[in-house]
Amino acid sequence: MTANAKKAPVADAMFTSAASLDELTSLKAALDEHAIVAMTDTTGKITYVNDKFCTISGYRREELLGTNHRILASSHHPKSFFANMFKSIANGRTWHGEIKNRAKDGSYYWVDTTITPFQDASGKVSQYIAIRSDITSRKQVKEELRAHRDKLQELVHAATQALQTKTVALEEALAKEKRMSELQRQFITMASHEFRTPLAIIDATAQRMQRRAAKNRLSPEDAILRVDKIRAAVQRMTRLMESTLSLARSESGEIKLDMAPCDIGAILREVCAHQQELSAGHDIKLDVVDLPVTVQADSGAVEQVFTNLISNAVKYAPDTGEIQVSAMVQDQDVVIAVRDQGIGIDPDELDRIGERFFRARTSLGIEGTGIGLSLVKHLVARHDGAVEVQSEIGKGSTFTVRIPMQNQAAQNRPKRRNKRRAA
Amino acid sequence: MTKILCIEDEPDLREAIAEELEDADYTVCQAGDGRQGLEVILAQKPDLVLCDITMPNKNGHQLLRDIREKYPVFAEMPFIFLSALADREHILAGLKNGADGYLTKPVDFEVLLTTVKASLRQIDRIKHKQKDVVVLDF
C-alpha cells in the first residue's frame, strides 16, 4: 500500500489552534492504547517510541531513543525485503507489511506495520512514523496450522506410501501364491502321469505273462526277462516316491544334515559309476583335481545332489553320449560341474530352474516332476553353497555346484547363497 | 489283415501292447514318438492308431491335429489315445481334439482289445453304408 508523503505535523496550520491540539492529544492517547508507535529519522535512528513499543520490544525508552531501528532486526527477512521497504518510504510512499522483530530477551514477535514518511517544509522526507499491531498470536496460530497441515500431509503421504508398499507386497504374494498353486496343479497332473506310466508297464507286462502262461507259452527265460521289466518299473516308481518324499521333508524342514568331514571326490566317483551302470548309452567322464578329503558336509545330501544332477544330464541329453563331470577347488570352494550336450533350456526360463515343480519347456515329453533340481538347490543352500546354471538351447547345460570348504552349515543354519548366471 | 499302429515312447509298454494286438491277429507297426508316428502313418497307412499323448518331439495332440487338418485321406482312420493323463479334463480335451476313444493307463488289455474292435466295427459299418448308397443310386 502506498501513499504520498505527508507534511510534517509541525508545519500544518490546522494543528496550531489549541482545540486542534487537544484533539491531537486525544487521538495520540487513543493510538497509544491501540498501537505500537515509533518515529525514526531517515537513517533509521529512533526518535520516538510509545509505551507499547517498549513493552513489546523489552527495551527501555532510553535504550531505544537514538538507537538505529536495526536493533530489532530478527534476521528472518531477506535483505531485499528491507531494501524494497526503504526504497518505498525514501521515495515518499507509505509502506505496509508484516515484520518479524527480535525483542531484547531474544524472543521474537510479529508486527503488522504501516510506515508513513513525512516531509519537512522543503518537501524532503525527514522522518518516518511506524504504526504497528502485535500479530504474534495470529502468526503463531498460522504457523501452528501450517505445521499441522504439513504434519498431516506427511502422515497422509507416509500412510499412502505404506499402503502402496503393502499393496505391492500383497500383489506380489498373491502372484506368487497363484504361481505356486498353478505349479502344484501341474505337479499333481505330472505326478499322476509319472506314477501311472511305470504302473502301466507293470500291469501290461503282468497281463502278458498271464496270457502267455495260460497258453503254455511262457518259457523261464521269457519270464525272467519280463520280471526284470516289472522290477525296473518298480524301481522307477520307488525313485519317484523317494524324490516326492524328499521334497516334502525338505519343505517341512525335516531334513537334518549330519555334517562331518567328507571325501567329496570319492562320493562323486561312486555316483558317476552307478549312473554309468544305469545308462550304458552315455559316457560319463569324470575329472577330479586335488579335492580335500575333509570337507564339512552331509555325505547323504551330497550324494543326492550329484545323483540328481548326473541323472538329469543323462535324461535331458538322450541323443548325445558324453556327460562331463569335473570337480576342483576354487578360492575357498569345492566346485563341481556337470555338463551335458543335450536339449538345453530357454534363456528366459533359467531363472526359474530349481523352482519347486518347475519344468522347462524343452522337457516336454521327458519324464520328470520338477522336484530333483529344487531338492539340489535346497540341499546345496543348506551347505551354504550355491548352484549356477548355464545353458544353450540344442547345445546343452552346465550345472555348477559350489560348496564352501569351511562352511557354517555345521550348525544346520539355513542360509541362501544361490545365484544363477544366464548363458 | 487289419493293421494297427502303436505310438508309445515307453518301449516296454509299447512291446507289451504290440504283442497283445498281434495275439489278437492284428498286424502291428510301432513308433516311439509323434514325429516317427506321422512318418509311419504316411508310409504304412494303418487301419487304426493307438497313441500315447506325452511324448518327445511331437505329442499325441499335435499328431492328431496334423492328421485331421493336413491329411484328409486319413479322416476315417480311428485314432485312440492311450495316456497316463487320466483326469476328466484331459479325457475331454483328447476327445474334443478329435480322438475316437480315450483309454487311460494302466490299461486292461480286454478293454483295449474291445475298444479297438468297436472302433474298427464302426468304420466297417460306415464303409458298408457308403457302398449301399452307391448301389441304390445306380
Side-chain angles (χ1 to χ4, degrees):
Chain A
M1 192 194 288
T2 60
N4 290 333
K6 310 292 181 293
K7 285 187 176 174
V10 284
D12 200 317
M14 73 175 278
F15 297 125
T16 54
S17 73
S20 297
L21 203 59
D22 281 347
E23 265 179 51
L24 194 62
T25 308
S26 302
L27 271 172
K28 183 182 176 299
L31 186 65
D32 283 340
E33 279 302 309
H34 174 77
I36 302 153
V37 183
M39 289 166 66
T40 66
D41 65 13
T42 52
T43 65
K45 194 164 75 182
I46 299 169
T47 55
Y48 170 84
V49 287
N50 70 354
D51 290 346
K52 274 191 175 294
F53 194 107
C54 295
T55 306
I56 197 164
S57 68
Y59 287 102
R60 283 178 286 116
R61 183 169 280 104
E62 51 273 30
E63 285 176 305
L64 291 166
L65 293 175
T67 308
N68 195 290
H69 201 286
R70 210 175 288 125
I71 192 174
L72 301 171
S74 68
S75 306
H76 172 80
H77 304 281
K79 276 184 178 170
S80 58
F81 176 83
F82 290 109
N84 287 335
M85 182 186 87
F86 276 108
K87 200 176 164 189
S88 283
I89 56 180
N91 285 306
R93 290 192 296 274
T94 298
W95 182 90
H96 184 86
E98 291 177 350
I99 300 175
K100 185 178 182 180
N101 281 340
R102 188 173 181 277
K104 187 180 178 182
D105 64 1
S107 64
Y108 295 97
Y109 60 92
W110 278 90
V111 280
D112 183 55
T113 306
T114 300
I115 303 174
T116 310
F118 285 88
Q119 298 167 349
D120 58 16
S122 63
K124 195 178 162 197
V125 173
S126 59
Q127 64 176 346
Y128 304 119
I129 298 182
I131 298 175
R132 301 172 168 95
S133 302
D134 181 3
I135 55 165
T136 308
S137 309
R138 198 176 84 198
K139 278 286 193 184
Q140 271 170 353
V141 169
K142 214 170 167 180
E143 276 303 311
E144 275 169 23
L145 275 176
R146 185 178 293 131
H148 277 304
R149 189 197 62 196
D150 291 349
K151 180 83 185 158
L152 214 59
Q153 273 176 348
E154 262 174 42
L155 283 173
V156 169
H157 184 68
T160 310
Q161 290 273 54
L163 210 62
Q164 276 170 347
T165 311
K166 222 171 185 172
T167 308
V168 168
L170 271 173
E171 279 171 353
E172 277 171 6
L174 188 67
K176 196 176 168 191
E177 197 58 42
K178 274 185 181 169
R179 206 163 72 173
M180 270 325 293
S181 155
E182 174 58 17
L183 281 173
Q184 254 159 358
R185 198 190 62 77
Q186 283 172 12
F187 169 72
I188 289 163
T189 304
M190 185 55 73
S192 155
H193 179 273
E194 292 303 306
F195 275 108
R196 278 173 182 275
T197 302
L199 262 181
I201 295 169
I202 294 165
D203 188 41
T205 312
Q207 286 184 72
R208 284 307 304 156
M209 287 178 79
Q210 197 177 34
R211 281 165 193 257
R212 289 181 82 90
K215 290 178 186 172
N216 285 324
R217 283 168 52 205
L218 188 68
S219 68
E221 294 79 19
D222 193 13
I224 289 169
L225 203 72
R226 288 170 196 259
V227 167
D228 279 348
K229 287 181 183 178
I230 290 177
R231 296 199 66 196
V234 169
Q235 275 179 7
R236 185 166 154 186
M237 282 191 72
T238 310
R239 280 199 304 276
L240 189 63
M241 206 169 66
E242 276 169 359
S243 85
T244 312
L245 288 175
S246 298
L247 180 81
R249 280 197 293 266
S250 79
E251 280 180 350
S252 61
E254 278 176 29
I255 296 182
K256 297 277 178 260
L257 297 185
D258 183 11
M259 304 299 279
C262 254
D263 185 349
I264 285 190
I267 298 172
L268 197 54
R269 273 188 286 273
E270 271 175 39
V271 171
C272 283
H274 182 60
Q275 289 298 316
Q276 185 64 77
E277 275 174 33
L278 293 175
S279 51
H282 287 85
D283 182 13
I284 301 173
K285 285 199 153 73
L286 176 63
D287 181 17
V288 179
V289 182
D290 295 335
L291 288 193
V293 291
T294 54
V295 176
Q296 277 289 333
D298 178 301
S299 57
V302 168
E303 186 183 336
Q304 170 99 69
V305 166
F306 296 160
T307 301
N308 286 9
L309 288 178
I310 298 169
S311 63
N312 263 6
V314 168
K315 191 163 72 172
Y316 295 108
D319 303 322
T320 52
E322 193 171 300
I323 310 285
Q324 291 173 339
V325 182
S326 66
M328 65 183 82
V329 172
Q330 216 174 59
D331 303 327
Q332 292 304 304
D333 297 337
V334 175
V335 180
I336 303 102
V338 178
R339 175 174 305 171
D340 66 58
Q341 294 160 358
I343 55 176
I345 302 157
D346 273 323
D348 68 320
E349 289 188 320
L350 281 174
D351 273 350
R352 297 192 64 191
I353 293 297
E355 204 175 283
R356 193 164 31 125
F357 306 140
F358 176 76
R359 299 203 69 209
R361 281 189 288 274
T362 44
S363 70
L364 196 75
I366 298 174
E367 62 157 304
T369 52
I371 292 176
L373 280 178
S374 143
L375 206 57
V376 165
K377 204 173 144 186
H378 175 82
L379 292 174
V380 172
R382 291 281 302 273
H383 284 79
D384 274 353
V387 182
E388 294 175 5
V389 54
Q390 290 175 283
S391 189
E392 200 175 334
I393 287 279
K395 293 203 172 168
S397 307
T398 302
F399 284 84
T400 308
V401 169
R402 288 174 180 274
I403 297 176
M405 287 188 286
Q406 297 295 325
N407 64 70
Q408 298 300 308
Q411 289 84 38
N412 276 351
R413 184 170 57 84
K415 181 181 170 187
R416 300 184 89 83
R417 217 183 64 157
N418 280 21
K419 57 183 175 190
R420 296 182 202 93
R421 190 173 62 229
Chain B
M1 219 157 125
T2 307
K3 193 189 286 176
I4 296 177
L5 167 61
C6 176
I7 311 172
E8 168 63 58
D9 64 335
E10 293 286 344
D12 291 344
L13 182 59
R14 190 173 68 235
E15 278 159 26
I17 294 167
E19 198 180 80
E20 179 71 19
L21 292 169
E22 279 163 357
D23 264 10
D25 287 335
Y26 294 110
T27 301
V28 182
C29 42
Q30 302 181 28
D33 61 43
R35 199 162 57 198
Q36 205 185 349
L38 182 61
E39 286 167 11
V40 178
I41 290 170
L42 299 176
Q44 304 205 23
K45 301 178 177 57
D47 297 292
L48 182 142
V49 173
L50 193 62
C51 184
D52 186 15
I53 291 179
T54 312
M55 293 181 294
N57 295 323
K58 193 187 278 277
N59 70 36
H61 285 294
Q62 291 166 327
L63 174 64
L64 176 57
R65 230 181 349 258
D66 272 7
I67 303 272
R68 296 289 185 244
E69 287 170 7
K70 296 179 191 164
Y71 303 98
V73 67
F74 294 110
E76 288 174 359
M77 177 184 71
F79 194 105
I80 298 167
F81 277 134
L82 172 58
S83 172
L85 297 171
D87 54 7
R88 182 175 175 272
E89 189 186 312
H90 285 100
I91 295 171
L92 286 174
L95 295 172
K96 281 178 184 167
N97 198 18
D100 300 289
Y102 195 112
L103 295 168
T104 56
K105 294 175 187 174
V107 67
D108 182 316
F109 280 157
E110 283 298 325
V111 175
L112 172 73
L113 289 179
T114 309
T115 307
V116 165
K117 261 184 212 160
S119 269
L120 292 168
R121 210 166 43 232
Q122 196 178 5
I123 290 299
D124 263 0
R125 271 201 306 274
I126 294 167
K127 279 181 180 166
H128 278 111
K129 203 173 175 185
Q130 282 171 346
K131 227 186 207 169
D132 290 347
V133 171
V134 174
V135 172
L136 284 173
D137 265 1
F138 178 76

